[in-house]
Amino acid sequence: MEAGDGHRTWGWEEREGVNGEGRTRGGDGPGGAGLAAAPGGGNVPAFLTKLWTLVEDPDTDALICWSPSGSSFHVFDQGQFAKEVLPKYFKHNNMASFVRQLNMYGFRKVVHIEQGGLVKPEKDDTEFQHPYFIRGQEHLLENIKRKVTSLIQFLISLVQSNRILGVKRKM
């Protein structure tokens, strides 16, 4: 879909404006679009800043919150989370798109194994973790990078190998 400025937009991109709680989104704040300034001076993608805000917000604890250890977070009742929380921060209410974004930033679903078998959660509870997404360690967010697709990696390696071999392109 085309935005008014001619740039392509996707459903998972952040929604600008007010998030329904009086906090302004856009610019460099926690809900800003693009990159936000991190406490350490680095830049953090808006998706990660918004995710941090969601997990930290006590008002959303019934649907998304830190695990007791603080090394992961839980999403409870995915349907209600997608319907009530996602649209306040993103341009969609699609849980699959949210999970796809998590995966692109290297988050992994936590699977619990007890006594040699998988343990199914007692309720609609999905847990995600990333080594740099830890309660009380917001400065680590700048270490979380979006994955580069394998096609892009292949093209980069092809260009680099041509340079190394001294291959010249004909124009």
Side-chain angles (χ1 to χ4, degrees):
M1 120 173 88
E2 293 288 323
D5 59 3
H7 290 92
R8 191 171 182 95
T9 60
W10 304 97
W12 50 261
E13 288 177 347
E14 293 76 17
R15 183 181 297 277
E16 294 182 32
V18 176
N19 70 6
E21 297 179 30
R23 291 190 297 244
T24 303
R25 292 199 308 243
D28 293 336
L35 298 177
N43 288 322
V44 177
F47 175 80
L48 297 174
T49 306
K50 290 180 180 192
L51 176 62
W52 183 270
T53 302
L54 284 170
V55 178
E56 283 283 304
D57 186 353
D59 292 339
T60 62
D61 279 357
L63 296 173
I64 184 170
C65 66
W66 290 108
S67 65
S69 70
S71 63
S72 62
F73 67 92
H74 293 264
V75 175
F76 304 105
D77 193 344
Q78 292 183 25
Q80 187 177 357
F81 173 77
K83 181 179 171 186
E84 295 179 12
V85 177
L86 287 180
K88 291 181 181 179
Y89 293 88
F90 305 100
K91 290 182 178 179
H92 67 84
N93 63 352
N94 188 329
M95 187 66 188
S97 294
F98 178 72
V99 171
R100 192 175 308 116
Q101 279 292 100
L102 290 172
N103 291 334
M104 285 197 310
Y105 282 101
F107 285 81
R108 291 290 170 247
K109 189 174 178 180
V110 176
V111 179
H112 295 280
I113 300 175
E114 288 182 13
Q115 298 174 346
L118 295 176
V119 177
K120 186 173 180 176
E122 294 178 18
K123 54 185 173 181
D124 185 0
D125 173 6
T126 308
E127 185 177 359
F128 297 95
Q129 70 87 31
H130 189 286
Y132 295 121
F133 196 84
I134 301 169
R135 181 177 52 215
Q137 304 292 318
E138 187 174 7
H139 65 280
L140 295 177
L141 292 178
E142 65 187 65
N143 297 317
I144 302 176
K145 305 296 179 197
R146 189 168 171 175
K147 290 181 182 178
V148 178
T149 66
S150 56
L151 175 61
I152 291 172
Q153 287 173 330
F154 171 74
L155 293 173
I156 290 170
S157 67
L158 188 62
V159 168
Q160 289 173 339
S161 66
N162 283 344
R163 259 191 222 138
I164 292 169
L165 296 173
V167 175
K168 295 184 180 179
R169 292 184 291 195
K170 294 181 181 179
M171 296 284 203

